[in-house]
Structures are given as C-alpha cells and as structure tokens.
Amino acid sequence: MKMVDVGDKPKTERVAVATALLRMQATTRERILAGTVEKGDVLAAARLAGIMAAKRTPDFIPLCHPIALSGVEVVVSPVEEGLTVRVTVRTVDRTGVEMEALTAACAASLTVYDMCKSLDRGMVLDAVQLEHKAGGRSGTWAREGTSS
C-alpha cells in the first residue's frame, strides 16, 4: 500500500461537487427550518461541520493527500423528504477534491442527525454521491441527469 505520488503533476484548478440526502419526518424538517431545535441553529452547525470536514479529510481517509483548499461551500436545502446537502470544494493543486466534497457532505448530514436525534431517531443519511468534478488529467465528469 502506498500514497500515490503526485509530485510531478502540474497544479491546476480543480472542483468537485457532492450531495447527500437526509430523509426525516416532516415535523423534524419544519423544526430545523423554524430554528426551534433545542441544540441551536442546525443549518449553521451543519454548514460549519461540512467546511471543517473538508479541511480535515486527510486526517481520517487513509492515503488521502493534504490539499490546500481555496474554497468550500455547503448549502443545506429543504426538500419533501427532508434536507439535501450540496458541497462544492475548490483548489489549485496536484490532485482532486472529490474526497473532500464527499466527506463534507457526510459530516454536514451527520451533524443534522446529531442535533436532531432526540426528535427523530429514524432519520436516514442517503444518496451520498459525487455530482461533478472538473480539472486534472481526467478532465470533467458529471453525473448523468445533473446540470452541475
């Protein structure tokens, strides 16, 4: 096992977008949106958790390169099933940021779960997936049916 050597690769602009769906009861979603969850502002905490997770991804994903991130955006939006998390991560570096985007989407979702588990232990973290990546030798990839 070894970490891939990216030392000879040129630094290029790279971006990755990942999403997650957190399914929950409608009453849980409404409490989150109304800001009446006992632990505080769930959406702000989820956004912060996502940003922090993107920055710390190499600390818990084996063989993942430390990357100087130039931007992380975490958007949590209501949908009929619950909430969606959409994370966009950017860098100018020698390797991509797909793992940072996926990790951030998971951490943001898990933060919602943690803050709301007393209301709804049946929440389900679902459909964590890469939607789009651009940059590097492999170029651009987009999940079929998305406009990313």
Side-chain angles (χ1 to χ4, degrees), residues 69-144:
L69 303 180
S70 56
V72 179
E73 179 184 29
V74 180
V75 178
V76 184
S77 304
V79 292
E80 186 176 340
E81 303 95 324
L83 297 173
T84 59
V85 176
R86 182 179 183 85
V87 178
T88 304
V89 180
R90 298 178 184 284
T91 190
V92 177
D93 214 322
R94 292 180 169 93
T95 189
V97 287
E98 296 91 6
M99 292 309 302
E100 287 75 7
L102 289 161
T103 300
C106 289
S109 299
L110 289 170
T111 297
V112 173
Y113 186 94
D114 179 55
M115 293 183 75
C116 299
K117 65 183 179 258
S118 66
L119 303 173
D120 185 358
R121 291 200 187 270
M123 288 180 282
V124 175
L125 174 54
D126 200 8
V128 177
Q129 58 193 28
L130 184 68
E131 299 291 345
H132 173 85
K133 66 81 62 189
R137 194 175 0 194
S138 64
T140 300
W141 176 88
R143 179 168 300 284
E144 193 172 315

Side-chain angles (χ1 to χ4, degrees), residues 22-100:
L22 189 57
R23 292 188 289 129
M24 64 186 63
Q25 297 172 5
T27 54
T28 304
R29 182 190 63 233
E30 295 313 314
R31 294 246 342 243
I32 292 168
L33 297 175
T36 60
V37 174
E38 185 177 289
K39 286 191 172 183
D41 188 337
V42 175
L43 300 177
R47 288 190 300 268
L48 184 57
I51 292 167
M52 292 173 65
K55 293 171 63 172
R56 302 292 303 265
T57 298
D59 291 347
F60 47 88
I61 302 294
L63 309 178
C64 191
H65 290 84
I67 299 174
L69 303 180
S70 56
V72 179
E73 179 184 29
V74 180
V75 178
V76 184
S77 304
V79 292
E80 186 176 340
E81 303 95 324
L83 297 173
T84 59
V85 176
R86 182 179 183 85
V87 178
T88 304
V89 180
R90 298 178 184 284
T91 190
V92 177
D93 214 322
R94 292 180 169 93
T95 189
V97 287
E98 296 91 6
M99 292 309 302
E100 287 75 7

